């Protein structure tokens, strides 16, 4: 129970900071996107509680606005991967036969691929050639989310399939079918609620994985593009000054650590509450 509360507390604190970012900007009176070269690497003060970065921008405000981007990517990836993975897993368990074989071999193939190099290659594709917008935070979020969902649904699919196969073999499912329940009702009203716990654990872990993946791509310059802040590109911008101005790298790194730790604690807390 303590792990669950601690995980929810960490994630809730980060989400609250993201929601209150515009209010913090108004309170501090700084533009987190506008450079101020006369105020580079300023130490923490009342005007800049966490100091400023290599372009004189307030680190606290960029962390809060970066939380909006990083958490939005993570939420979109977790939602998309969970919906797609659960649908595929239920379909494979219900239909069996060739459908199960095809879907699971597809999942096995994706698991066998080197994920990080492929993510880097796909993230480097110029979306402008396909008529899609580029250089905008929203388009970057959607691009990264689609790429991560394309690989992230596999774990949820395999987990939901295994759990659904167990439930479909139990007597209450046979009783529901004998009572005249349709297959859709059996899956939606009986099987899905009983596998929601393991899926929730996988979803929490996928949020952590999405945060790390987005941070990695942004750190490499292939994710969220400046001037829009994300924790990953904040780390990338600070890497050359890590010894002369370490705080510029410490704060985004700490934010990533807290977010991943919160997701892990949440997943572990949910897992411990499962029967």
């Amino acid at each position: 129970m303590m792990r669950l509360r601690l995980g929810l507390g960490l994630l809730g604190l980060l989400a609250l900071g993201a929601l209150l970012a515009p209010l913090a900007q108004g309170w501090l009176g700084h533009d987190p996107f506008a450079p101020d070269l006369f105020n580079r690497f300023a130490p923490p003060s009342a005007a800049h509680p966490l100091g400023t970065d290599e372009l004189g921008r307030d680190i606290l405000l960029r962390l809060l606005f970066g939380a909006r981007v990083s958490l939005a990517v993570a939420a979109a990836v977790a939602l998309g991967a969970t919906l797609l993975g659960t649908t595929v897993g239920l379909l494979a368990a219900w239909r069996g036969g060739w459908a199960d074989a095809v879907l699971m071999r597809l999942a096995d193939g994706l698991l066998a691929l080197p994920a990080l190099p492929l993510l880097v290659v796909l993230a480097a594709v110029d979306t402008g050639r396909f008529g899609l917008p580029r250089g905008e935070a929203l388009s970057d979020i959607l691009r990264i989310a689609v790429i991560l969902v394309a690989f992230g649904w596999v774990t949820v699919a395999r987990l939901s399939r295994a759990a659904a196969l167990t439930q479909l073999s139990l007597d209450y499912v046979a009783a529901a079918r004998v009572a005249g329940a349709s297959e859709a009702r059996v899956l939606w009203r009986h099987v899905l609620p009983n596998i929601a716990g393991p899926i929730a654990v996988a979803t929490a872990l996928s949020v952590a994985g999405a945060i790390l993946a987005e941070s990695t791509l942004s750190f490499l310059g292939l994710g969220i593009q400046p001037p829009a802040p994300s924790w990953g590109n904040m780390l990338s911008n600070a890497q050359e000054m890590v010894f002369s101005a370490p705080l510029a790298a410490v704060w985004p790194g700490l934010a990533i650590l807290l977010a991943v730790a919160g997701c892990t604690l949440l997943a572990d807390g949910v897992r411990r509450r499962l029967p």
Side-chain angles (χ1 to χ4, degrees):
M1 191 65 176
M2 181 60 67
R3 292 171 182 265
L4 182 61
R5 291 178 177 176
L6 184 57
L8 286 173
L10 287 174
L11 294 177
L13 184 63
L14 293 172
L16 181 63
L19 289 174
L20 296 180
L23 293 178
Q25 179 182 359
W27 176 54
L28 292 174
H30 304 301
D31 185 350
F33 308 99
D36 182 6
L37 298 181
F38 295 102
N39 203 24
R40 298 173 67 244
F41 298 121
S45 62
H48 302 283
L50 299 182
T52 61
D53 63 7
E54 73 283 354
L55 294 179
R57 299 169 297 191
D58 188 86
I59 292 179
L60 175 60
L61 290 179
R62 288 187 65 79
L63 277 177
L64 296 180
F65 280 94
R68 289 187 153 201
V69 174
S70 296
L71 294 180
V73 171
V77 171
L79 180 61
T82 299
L83 291 176
L84 179 58
T86 302
T87 301
V88 171
L90 283 175
L91 179 61
W94 171 54
R95 295 295 297 176
W98 65 268
D100 185 18
V102 170
L103 292 173
M104 289 303 101
R105 294 303 73 76
L106 175 61
D108 291 341
L110 289 176
L111 283 176
L113 293 175
L116 183 57
L118 280 175
L119 287 176
V120 171
V121 170
L122 291 174
V125 173
D126 185 5
T127 56
R129 294 185 177 182
F130 302 97
L132 299 176
R134 54 184 175 181
E136 300 177 4
L138 181 58
S139 64
D140 286 339
I141 290 174
L142 292 176
R143 174 172 57 88
I144 298 302
V146 169
I147 293 172
L148 295 179
V149 168
F151 289 89
W153 65 269
V154 177
T155 302
V156 181
R158 293 179 66 87
L159 180 64
S160 60
R161 171 186 175 272
L165 283 174
T166 300
Q167 295 299 320
L168 287 171
S169 65
L170 298 180
D171 292 338
Y172 79 91
V173 172
R177 286 170 171 164
V178 169
S182 65
E183 291 298 318
R185 182 178 178 84
V186 168
L187 292 175
W188 179 255
R189 295 295 301 273
H190 299 286
V191 175
L192 187 58
N194 286 297
I195 66 173
I199 292 175
V201 174
T203 301
L205 293 176
S206 68
V207 172
I211 291 173
L212 287 175
E214 181 276 321
S215 298
T216 300
L217 293 175
S218 296
F219 181 82
L220 296 174
L222 300 172
I224 308 301
Q225 299 300 312
S230 79
W231 295 334
N233 65 29
M234 289 180 69
L235 272 178
S236 179
N237 295 336
Q239 64 177 324
E240 295 182 0
M241 286 75 67
V242 68
F243 294 108
S244 59
L247 288 180
V250 167
W251 295 118
L254 183 60
I256 295 172
L257 174 63
L258 291 177
V260 174
C263 293
T264 304
L265 288 170
L266 178 61
D268 191 44
V270 173
R271 181 185 61 81
R272 290 171 178 264
R273 292 178 62 87
L274 294 178

